[in-house]
Amino acid sequence: MNSQELFNESKIVTPGGVNSPVRAYEPYPFFVKEAKGAYITDVEGNSYIDHCLGYGPVLLGHGDDEVMAEVYEQMKKGTAYGAPTENEIKLAKEVVNRVPCADMVRFVNSGTEATMAAIRLARAYSGKKKIVKFEGAYHGAHDYVLVKSGSGAACLPDSQGIPEETTSNTFSIPFNDKMAFAYLMEAHADEIACVIMEPVMGNIGCVQPEPGFLRFVRNVTKRYGVLLIFDEVITGFRVSRGGAQEYFGVKPDLVTFGKVLGGGFPIGAYAGKREIMEMIAPNGPVYQAGTFAGNPVTIQAGLSTLKKLDYQFYVDVSRKSDEFRKGLIDMLGEIGLQLQVVGLASMFQIYFNRNPVFNYETAKQSDTKKFMVYFNELLKQGIFIPPSQFECNFISGAHTREDLEKTSNAIEIALKKAWEL
Ligand SMILES: *Cc1c(COP(=O)(O)O)cnc(C)c1O
């Protein structure tokens, strides 16, 4: 069956034909046969240079040989134990060793689980129940954080099936807006357990904090006794060896991870100060558990992956990506298009927007219709990016300069097509 036939089949047995909504796009998504290194191949046999990379987990490239060999070895020894292993300690130590705020780590199965557990922990530790997030930030698909963007007011659910009582405990304010943040804290700090934020907003494209913004949020939360959680599910082990908190030099109280940490296998984790983490069961009164938490296969994949992600890796991938983004900016200048090339380290996006993008409102001004023309033309040119203006594109260690040049050339063609140049 080809992709179109598979999609039709899939729609009969799976809602919308996919197991996560963003994977569906018009007229039908390609179905994957396999992926290796920087390339992903569909069932028709077309290969694409992959800049979606599983939406973030794949930092070494698909199916890294060394990682896979070690994972196979582990699989032969069993895949689920329900009892602890030494490798869990090794991976926890690796996280503690890299991440400034991490004294202790608890492994879970997804980023969603990690943020849910971290928020529960923050509420227990503080004895307060309200939380603050930033408009457009994604912290997984659970009830506490799946809210409509608001303007400092308590939020409404962003999905049916979520009680308003739940989301009325969530405030949502614009990113990069010190004033809005200061006002909210001034008015409500005595009810607020925590602020949860993506240090780089990777779920509305790629929006960086303005200089000083993270430091400001850190200082204000500290002053009011509100916990700060960095959701580093994307940025963790990606923007630098110790994640965004190392990159920007700002230390939160708690941090959540996922994606890269699992080396392509499902994982999540939350970590932070010992005093707070000690409250988690069985030590303390905050319950959190999981059948597959600390799964031996995933943990091995994480260990084998992080072993390869040394300082030099980040220097190399960032240099390659910096050159690539600079090339895009030069190319846009040459064809006379004023768009926003954004990104850092191995993250990038082009906003179809003439004006700078610094929060959700400004990101939303982008031309999403033209973006989809661009997306489809890129596919035709053999390049796969997420089918949305509001996702981030990635570069892996497996992408060669030649691959990136191909991507660049295809982007030029696709931009000309989208903007009818
Ligand atoms: C992907 C993501 C999540 C959710 O992780 P899942 O593993 O998909 O549950 C949470 N926060 C951020 C910042 C993410 O990018």
PDB file of all heavy atoms in Angstrom, residues 178-212:
ATOM      1  N   LYS A 178       8.225  41.680  30.741  1.00  0.00           N
ATOM      2  CA  LYS A 178       8.594  41.794  32.157  1.00  0.00           C
ATOM      3  C   LYS A 178       7.472  42.434  32.973  1.00  0.00           C
ATOM      4  O   LYS A 178       7.204  42.033  34.102  1.00  0.00           O
ATOM      5  CB  LYS A 178       9.857  42.653  32.297  1.00  0.00           C
ATOM      6  CG  LYS A 178      11.129  41.989  31.816  1.00  0.00           C
ATOM      7  CD  LYS A 178      12.319  42.901  32.104  1.00  0.00           C
ATOM      8  CE  LYS A 178      13.604  42.290  31.565  1.00  0.00           C
ATOM      9  NZ  LYS A 178      14.736  43.209  31.697  1.00  0.00           N
ATOM     10  N   MET A 179       6.834  43.441  32.367  1.00  0.00           N
ATOM     11  CA  MET A 179       5.803  44.183  33.087  1.00  0.00           C
ATOM     12  C   MET A 179       4.639  43.276  33.449  1.00  0.00           C
ATOM     13  O   MET A 179       4.187  43.258  34.594  1.00  0.00           O
ATOM     14  CB  MET A 179       5.310  45.326  32.189  1.00  0.00           C
ATOM     15  CG  MET A 179       4.639  46.416  32.938  1.00  0.00           C
ATOM     16  SD  MET A 179       5.884  47.491  33.644  1.00  0.00           S
ATOM     17  CE  MET A 179       5.773  48.833  32.479  1.00  0.00           C
ATOM     18  N   ALA A 180       4.143  42.519  32.458  1.00  0.00           N
ATOM     19  CA  ALA A 180       3.011  41.620  32.711  1.00  0.00           C
ATOM     20  C   ALA A 180       3.371  40.611  33.790  1.00  0.00           C
ATOM     21  O   ALA A 180       2.559  40.285  34.662  1.00  0.00           O
ATOM     22  CB  ALA A 180       2.622  40.890  31.420  1.00  0.00           C
ATOM     23  N   PHE A 181       4.595  40.138  33.731  1.00  0.00           N
ATOM     24  CA  PHE A 181       5.037  39.146  34.712  1.00  0.00           C
ATOM     25  C   PHE A 181       5.097  39.761  36.112  1.00  0.00           C
ATOM     26  O   PHE A 181       4.590  39.195  37.081  1.00  0.00           O
ATOM     27  CB  PHE A 181       6.401  38.578  34.307  1.00  0.00           C
ATOM     28  CG  PHE A 181       6.817  37.422  35.155  1.00  0.00           C
ATOM     29  CD1 PHE A 181       6.203  36.189  35.016  1.00  0.00           C
ATOM     30  CD2 PHE A 181       7.792  37.572  36.131  1.00  0.00           C
ATOM     31  CE1 PHE A 181       6.555  35.119  35.821  1.00  0.00           C
ATOM     32  CE2 PHE A 181       8.158  36.508  36.939  1.00  0.00           C
ATOM     33  CZ  PHE A 181       7.538  35.282  36.791  1.00  0.00           C
ATOM     34  N   ALA A 182       5.668  40.944  36.200  1.00  0.00           N
ATOM     35  CA  ALA A 182       5.805  41.604  37.504  1.00  0.00           C
ATOM     36  C   ALA A 182       4.436  41.907  38.112  1.00  0.00           C
ATOM     37  O   ALA A 182       4.206  41.685  39.305  1.00  0.00           O
ATOM     38  CB  ALA A 182       6.613  42.889  37.348  1.00  0.00           C
ATOM     39  N   TYR A 183       3.505  42.372  37.274  1.00  0.00           N
ATOM     40  CA  TYR A 183       2.150  42.674  37.763  1.00  0.00           C
ATOM     41  C   TYR A 183       1.463  41.422  38.310  1.00  0.00           C
ATOM     42  O   TYR A 183       0.841  41.441  39.368  1.00  0.00           O
ATOM     43  CB  TYR A 183       1.276  43.258  36.639  1.00  0.00           C
ATOM     44  CG  TYR A 183       1.459  44.737  36.429  1.00  0.00           C
ATOM     45  CD1 TYR A 183       1.544  45.261  35.140  1.00  0.00           C
ATOM     46  CD2 TYR A 183       1.532  45.623  37.509  1.00  0.00           C
ATOM     47  CE1 TYR A 183       1.720  46.617  34.927  1.00  0.00           C
ATOM     48  CE2 TYR A 183       1.707  46.978  37.312  1.00  0.00           C
ATOM     49  CZ  TYR A 183       1.804  47.472  36.015  1.00  0.00           C
ATOM     50  OH  TYR A 183       1.979  48.813  35.809  1.00  0.00           O
ATOM     51  N   LEU A 184       1.567  40.333  37.536  1.00  0.00           N
ATOM     52  CA  LEU A 184       0.900  39.096  37.954  1.00  0.00           C
ATOM     53  C   LEU A 184       1.467  38.611  39.290  1.00  0.00           C
ATOM     54  O   LEU A 184       0.723  38.217  40.196  1.00  0.00           O
ATOM     55  CB  LEU A 184       1.073  38.021  36.875  1.00  0.00           C
ATOM     56  CG  LEU A 184       0.373  36.695  37.182  1.00  0.00           C
ATOM     57  CD1 LEU A 184      -1.140  36.855  37.154  1.00  0.00           C
ATOM     58  CD2 LEU A 184       0.807  35.613  36.207  1.00  0.00           C
ATOM     59  N   MET A 185       2.774  38.673  39.422  1.00  0.00           N
ATOM     60  CA  MET A 185       3.413  38.217  40.660  1.00  0.00           C
ATOM     61  C   MET A 185       3.000  39.110  41.832  1.00  0.00           C
ATOM     62  O   MET A 185       2.682  38.630  42.917  1.00  0.00           O
ATOM     63  CB  MET A 185       4.932  38.247  40.500  1.00  0.00           C
ATOM     64  CG  MET A 185       5.453  37.116  39.695  1.00  0.00           C
ATOM     65  SD  MET A 185       5.159  35.559  40.558  1.00  0.00           S
ATOM     66  CE  MET A 185       4.958  34.510  39.198  1.00  0.00           C
ATOM     67  N   GLU A 186       3.006  40.392  41.582  1.00  0.00           N
ATOM     68  CA  GLU A 186       2.625  41.367  42.605  1.00  0.00           C
ATOM     69  C   GLU A 186       1.213  41.063  43.125  1.00  0.00           C
ATOM     70  O   GLU A 186       0.947  41.051  44.316  1.00  0.00           O
ATOM     71  CB  GLU A 186       2.693  42.772  41.981  1.00  0.00           C
ATOM     72  CG  GLU A 186       2.176  43.906  42.828  1.00  0.00           C
ATOM     73  CD  GLU A 186       3.098  44.203  44.003  1.00  0.00           C
ATOM     74  OE1 GLU A 186       4.324  44.030  43.839  1.00  0.00           O
ATOM     75  OE2 GLU A 186       2.584  44.574  45.074  1.00  0.00           O
ATOM     76  N   ALA A 187       0.313  40.741  42.184  1.00  0.00           N
ATOM     77  CA  ALA A 187      -1.097  40.556  42.559  1.00  0.00           C
ATOM     78  C   ALA A 187      -1.392  39.172  43.144  1.00  0.00           C
ATOM     79  O   ALA A 187      -2.268  39.039  43.983  1.00  0.00           O
ATOM     80  CB  ALA A 187      -1.982  40.803  41.332  1.00  0.00           C
ATOM     81  N   HIS A 188      -0.694  38.143  42.680  1.00  0.00           N
ATOM     82  CA  HIS A 188      -1.130  36.774  43.008  1.00  0.00           C
ATOM     83  C   HIS A 188      -0.074  35.855  43.595  1.00  0.00           C
ATOM     84  O   HIS A 188      -0.329  34.666  43.778  1.00  0.00           O
ATOM     85  CB  HIS A 188      -1.688  36.101  41.742  1.00  0.00           C
ATOM     86  CG  HIS A 188      -2.934  36.733  41.225  1.00  0.00           C
ATOM     87  ND1 HIS A 188      -4.166  36.553  41.829  1.00  0.00           N
ATOM     88  CD2 HIS A 188      -3.144  37.552  40.166  1.00  0.00           C
ATOM     89  CE1 HIS A 188      -5.076  37.239  41.152  1.00  0.00           C
ATOM     90  NE2 HIS A 188      -4.489  37.859  40.147  1.00  0.00           N
ATOM     91  N   ALA A 189       1.124  36.367  43.881  1.00  0.00           N
ATOM     92  CA  ALA A 189       2.216  35.467  44.296  1.00  0.00           C
ATOM     93  C   ALA A 189       1.847  34.579  45.478  1.00  0.00           C
ATOM     94  O   ALA A 189       2.297  33.438  45.568  1.00  0.00           O
ATOM     95  CB  ALA A 189       3.474  36.262  44.613  1.00  0.00           C
ATOM     96  N   ASP A 190       0.988  35.092  46.369  1.00  0.00           N
ATOM     97  CA  ASP A 190       0.682  34.283  47.559  1.00  0.00           C
ATOM     98  C   ASP A 190      -0.204  33.078  47.243  1.00  0.00           C
ATOM     99  O   ASP A 190      -0.429  32.229  48.102  1.00  0.00           O
ATOM    100  CB  ASP A 190       0.072  35.148  48.664  1.00  0.00           C
ATOM    101  CG  ASP A 190      -1.161  35.889  48.189  1.00  0.00           C
ATOM    102  OD1 ASP A 190      -1.393  35.912  46.961  1.00  0.00           O
ATOM    103  OD2 ASP A 190      -1.894  36.431  49.027  1.00  0.00           O
ATOM    104  N   GLU A 191      -0.721  33.005  45.986  1.00  0.00           N
ATOM    105  CA  GLU A 191      -1.480  31.808  45.591  1.00  0.00           C
ATOM    106  C   GLU A 191      -0.712  30.962  44.588  1.00  0.00           C
ATOM    107  O   GLU A 191      -1.168  29.896  44.192  1.00  0.00           O
ATOM    108  CB  GLU A 191      -2.783  32.184  44.864  1.00  0.00           C
ATOM    109  CG  GLU A 191      -3.653  33.244  45.455  1.00  0.00           C
ATOM    110  CD  GLU A 191      -4.708  33.642  44.406  1.00  0.00           C
ATOM    111  OE1 GLU A 191      -5.722  32.937  44.334  1.00  0.00           O
ATOM    112  OE2 GLU A 191      -4.476  34.619  43.663  1.00  0.00           O
ATOM    113  N   ILE A 192       0.430  31.468  44.122  1.00  0.00           N
ATOM    114  CA  ILE A 192       1.113  30.811  42.995  1.00  0.00           C
ATOM    115  C   ILE A 192       2.203  29.848  43.476  1.00  0.00           C
ATOM    116  O   ILE A 192       3.135  30.249  44.174  1.00  0.00           O
ATOM    117  CB  ILE A 192       1.713  31.855  42.023  1.00  0.00           C
ATOM    118  CG1 ILE A 192       0.580  32.650  41.363  1.00  0.00           C
ATOM    119  CG2 ILE A 192       2.560  31.176  40.951  1.00  0.00           C
ATOM    120  CD1 ILE A 192       1.045  33.832  40.541  1.00  0.00           C
ATOM    121  N   ALA A 193       2.049  28.579  43.075  1.00  0.00           N
ATOM    122  CA  ALA A 193       3.019  27.552  43.451  1.00  0.00           C
ATOM    123  C   ALA A 193       4.270  27.652  42.588  1.00  0.00           C
ATOM    124  O   ALA A 193       5.386  27.555  43.077  1.00  0.00           O
ATOM    125  CB  ALA A 193       2.393  26.160  43.288  1.00  0.00           C
ATOM    126  N   CYS A 194       4.046  27.828  41.278  1.00  0.00           N
ATOM    127  CA  CYS A 194       5.208  27.792  40.385  1.00  0.00           C
ATOM    128  C   CYS A 194       4.937  28.512  39.073  1.00  0.00           C
ATOM    129  O   CYS A 194       3.782  28.710  38.673  1.00  0.00           O
ATOM    130  CB  CYS A 194       5.594  26.345  40.078  1.00  0.00           C
ATOM    131  SG  CYS A 194       4.339  25.425  39.175  1.00  0.00           S
ATOM    132  N   VAL A 195       6.028  28.883  38.437  1.00  0.00           N
ATOM    133  CA  VAL A 195       6.008  29.356  37.054  1.00  0.00           C
ATOM    134  C   VAL A 195       6.667  28.251  36.239  1.00  0.00           C
ATOM    135  O   VAL A 195       7.758  27.800  36.584  1.00  0.00           O
ATOM    136  CB  VAL A 195       6.823  30.650  36.908  1.00  0.00           C
ATOM    137  CG1 VAL A 195       6.940  31.052  35.446  1.00  0.00           C
ATOM    138  CG2 VAL A 195       6.208  31.764  37.740  1.00  0.00           C
ATOM    139  N   ILE A 196       5.983  27.798  35.189  1.00  0.00           N
ATOM    140  CA  ILE A 196       6.608  26.816  34.299  1.00  0.00           C
ATOM    141  C   ILE A 196       6.836  27.478  32.954  1.00  0.00           C
ATOM    142  O   ILE A 196       5.944  28.153  32.425  1.00  0.00           O
ATOM    143  CB  ILE A 196       5.777  25.515  34.175  1.00  0.00           C
ATOM    144  CG1 ILE A 196       6.526  24.494  33.312  1.00  0.00           C
ATOM    145  CG2 ILE A 196       4.354  25.761  33.678  1.00  0.00           C
ATOM    146  CD1 ILE A 196       5.983  23.079  33.399  1.00  0.00           C
ATOM    147  N   MET A 197       8.044  27.342  32.429  1.00  0.00           N
ATOM    148  CA  MET A 197       8.350  28.008  31.157  1.00  0.00           C
ATOM    149  C   MET A 197       9.332  27.205  30.317  1.00  0.00           C
ATOM    150  O   MET A 197      10.176  26.494  30.838  1.00  0.00           O
ATOM    151  CB  MET A 197       8.923  29.406  31.415  1.00  0.00           C
ATOM    152  CG  MET A 197      10.317  29.424  31.997  1.00  0.00           C
ATOM    153  SD  MET A 197      10.860  31.109  32.489  1.00  0.00           S
ATOM    154  CE  MET A 197      10.729  32.011  30.952  1.00  0.00           C
ATOM    155  N   GLU A 198       9.159  27.326  29.003  1.00  0.00           N
ATOM    156  CA  GLU A 198      10.183  26.864  28.081  1.00  0.00           C
ATOM    157  C   GLU A 198      11.192  28.012  27.980  1.00  0.00           C
ATOM    158  O   GLU A 198      10.822  29.088  27.516  1.00  0.00           O
ATOM    159  CB  GLU A 198       9.598  26.634  26.685  1.00  0.00           C
ATOM    160  CG  GLU A 198       8.563  25.534  26.555  1.00  0.00           C
ATOM    161  CD  GLU A 198       8.050  25.462  25.114  1.00  0.00           C
ATOM    162  OE1 GLU A 198       8.791  24.986  24.242  1.00  0.00           O
ATOM    163  OE2 GLU A 198       6.927  25.906  24.852  1.00  0.00           O
ATOM    164  N   PRO A 199      12.441  27.793  28.365  1.00  0.00           N
ATOM    165  CA  PRO A 199      13.410  28.891  28.276  1.00  0.00           C
ATOM    166  C   PRO A 199      13.549  29.420  26.843  1.00  0.00           C
ATOM    167  O   PRO A 199      13.771  30.610  26.633  1.00  0.00           O
ATOM    168  CB  PRO A 199      14.716  28.287  28.776  1.00  0.00           C
ATOM    169  CG  PRO A 199      14.454  26.866  29.097  1.00  0.00           C
ATOM    170  CD  PRO A 199      13.010  26.572  28.947  1.00  0.00           C
ATOM    171  N   VAL A 200      13.424  28.523  25.864  1.00  0.00           N
ATOM    172  CA  VAL A 200      13.300  28.923  24.456  1.00  0.00           C
ATOM    173  C   VAL A 200      11.971  28.344  24.003  1.00  0.00           C
ATOM    174  O   VAL A 200      11.732  27.149  24.147  1.00  0.00           O
ATOM    175  CB  VAL A 200      14.437  28.337  23.590  1.00  0.00           C
ATOM    176  CG1 VAL A 200      14.227  28.682  22.127  1.00  0.00           C
ATOM    177  CG2 VAL A 200      15.801  28.815  24.082  1.00  0.00           C
ATOM    178  N   MET A 201      11.091  29.181  23.457  1.00  0.00           N
ATOM    179  CA  MET A 201       9.759  28.680  23.099  1.00  0.00           C
ATOM    180  C   MET A 201       9.833  27.890  21.791  1.00  0.00           C
ATOM    181  O   MET A 201       9.814  28.451  20.703  1.00  0.00           O
ATOM    182  CB  MET A 201       8.768  29.844  22.968  1.00  0.00           C
ATOM    183  CG  MET A 201       8.678  30.644  24.265  1.00  0.00           C
ATOM    184  SD  MET A 201       7.098  30.799  25.064  1.00  0.00           S
ATOM    185  CE  MET A 201       5.912  30.841  23.847  1.00  0.00           C
ATOM    186  N   GLY A 202       9.897  26.589  21.927  1.00  0.00           N
ATOM    187  CA  GLY A 202      10.059  25.728  20.761  1.00  0.00           C
ATOM    188  C   GLY A 202       8.755  25.206  20.203  1.00  0.00           C
ATOM    189  O   GLY A 202       8.751  24.443  19.239  1.00  0.00           O
ATOM    190  N   ASN A 203       7.635  25.616  20.786  1.00  0.00           N
ATOM    191  CA  ASN A 203       6.349  25.114  20.317  1.00  0.00           C
ATOM    192  C   ASN A 203       5.478  26.199  19.694  1.00  0.00           C
ATOM    193  O   ASN A 203       4.275  26.007  19.463  1.00  0.00           O
ATOM    194  CB  ASN A 203       5.617  24.397  21.455  1.00  0.00           C
ATOM    195  CG  ASN A 203       6.279  23.056  21.776  1.00  0.00           C
ATOM    196  OD1 ASN A 203       6.134  22.100  21.028  1.00  0.00           O
ATOM    197  ND2 ASN A 203       7.034  22.999  22.862  1.00  0.00           N
ATOM    198  N   ILE A 204       6.104  27.341  19.408  1.00  0.00           N
ATOM    199  CA  ILE A 204       5.471  28.338  18.541  1.00  0.00           C
ATOM    200  C   ILE A 204       6.483  28.703  17.446  1.00  0.00           C
ATOM    201  O   ILE A 204       6.493  29.807  16.943  1.00  0.00           O
ATOM    202  CB  ILE A 204       5.027  29.613  19.308  1.00  0.00           C
ATOM    203  CG1 ILE A 204       6.192  30.217  20.102  1.00  0.00           C
ATOM    204  CG2 ILE A 204       3.841  29.319  20.207  1.00  0.00           C
ATOM    205  CD1 ILE A 204       5.892  31.613  20.648  1.00  0.00           C
ATOM    206  N   GLY A 205       7.323  27.751  17.105  1.00  0.00           N
ATOM    207  CA  GLY A 205       8.414  27.989  16.164  1.00  0.00           C
ATOM    208  C   GLY A 205       9.698  27.931  16.963  1.00  0.00           C
ATOM    209  O   GLY A 205      10.083  26.882  17.480  1.00  0.00           O
ATOM    210  N   CYS A 206      10.362  29.062  17.091  1.00  0.00           N
ATOM    211  CA  CYS A 206      11.549  29.102  17.954  1.00  0.00           C
ATOM    212  C   CYS A 206      11.747  30.551  18.402  1.00  0.00           C
ATOM    213  O   CYS A 206      12.251  31.373  17.640  1.00  0.00           O
ATOM    214  CB  CYS A 206      12.773  28.577  17.197  1.00  0.00           C
ATOM    215  SG  CYS A 206      14.226  28.435  18.243  1.00  0.00           S
ATOM    216  N   VAL A 207      11.304  30.859  19.619  1.00  0.00           N
ATOM    217  CA  VAL A 207      11.412  32.221  20.137  1.00  0.00           C
ATOM    218  C   VAL A 207      12.364  32.223  21.330  1.00  0.00           C
ATOM    219  O   VAL A 207      12.154  31.509  22.305  1.00  0.00           O
ATOM    220  CB  VAL A 207      10.035  32.776  20.569  1.00  0.00           C
ATOM    221  CG1 VAL A 207      10.194  34.134  21.257  1.00  0.00           C
ATOM    222  CG2 VAL A 207       9.111  32.900  19.367  1.00  0.00           C
ATOM    223  N   GLN A 208      13.388  33.038  21.221  1.00  0.00           N
ATOM    224  CA  GLN A 208      14.365  33.109  22.314  1.00  0.00           C
ATOM    225  C   GLN A 208      13.948  34.139  23.350  1.00  0.00           C
ATOM    226  O   GLN A 208      13.269  35.110  23.034  1.00  0.00           O
ATOM    227  CB  GLN A 208      15.734  33.504  21.754  1.00  0.00           C
ATOM    228  CG  GLN A 208      16.366  32.406  20.931  1.00  0.00           C
ATOM    229  CD  GLN A 208      17.871  32.598  20.834  1.00  0.00           C
ATOM    230  OE1 GLN A 208      18.556  32.761  21.839  1.00  0.00           O
ATOM    231  NE2 GLN A 208      18.370  32.588  19.621  1.00  0.00           N
ATOM    232  N   PRO A 209      14.386  33.927  24.577  1.00  0.00           N
ATOM    233  CA  PRO A 209      14.160  34.958  25.594  1.00  0.00           C
ATOM    234  C   PRO A 209      14.995  36.184  25.261  1.00  0.00           C
ATOM    235  O   PRO A 209      16.137  36.054  24.827  1.00  0.00           O
ATOM    236  CB  PRO A 209      14.660  34.281  26.871  1.00  0.00           C
ATOM    237  CG  PRO A 209      15.674  33.289  26.419  1.00  0.00           C
ATOM    238  CD  PRO A 209      15.210  32.804  25.059  1.00  0.00           C
ATOM    239  N   GLU A 210      14.423  37.369  25.442  1.00  0.00           N
ATOM    240  CA  GLU A 210      15.220  38.582  25.241  1.00  0.00           C
ATOM    241  C   GLU A 210      16.284  38.644  26.328  1.00  0.00           C
ATOM    242  O   GLU A 210      16.083  38.096  27.420  1.00  0.00           O
ATOM    243  CB  GLU A 210      14.299  39.806  25.264  1.00  0.00           C
ATOM    244  CG  GLU A 210      13.545  39.925  23.944  1.00  0.00           C
ATOM    245  CD  GLU A 210      12.383  40.910  23.966  1.00  0.00           C
ATOM    246  OE1 GLU A 210      12.191  41.605  24.987  1.00  0.00           O
ATOM    247  OE2 GLU A 210      11.669  40.948  22.944  1.00  0.00           O
ATOM    248  N   PRO A 211      17.417  39.297  26.032  1.00  0.00           N
ATOM    249  CA  PRO A 211      18.493  39.343  27.038  1.00  0.00           C
ATOM    250  C   PRO A 211      17.950  39.822  28.380  1.00  0.00           C
ATOM    251  O   PRO A 211      17.251  40.827  28.459  1.00  0.00           O
ATOM    252  CB  PRO A 211      19.476  40.358  26.439  1.00  0.00           C
ATOM    253  CG  PRO A 211      19.241  40.286  24.959  1.00  0.00           C
ATOM    254  CD  PRO A 211      17.767  39.999  24.796  1.00  0.00           C
ATOM    255  N   GLY A 212      18.225  39.065  29.422  1.00  0.00           N
ATOM    256  CA  GLY A 212      17.802  39.481  30.760  1.00  0.00           C
ATOM    257  C   GLY A 212      16.442  38.967  31.179  1.00  0.00           C
ATOM    258  O   GLY A 212      16.090  39.039  32.363  1.00  0.00           O
TER     259      GLY A 212
END
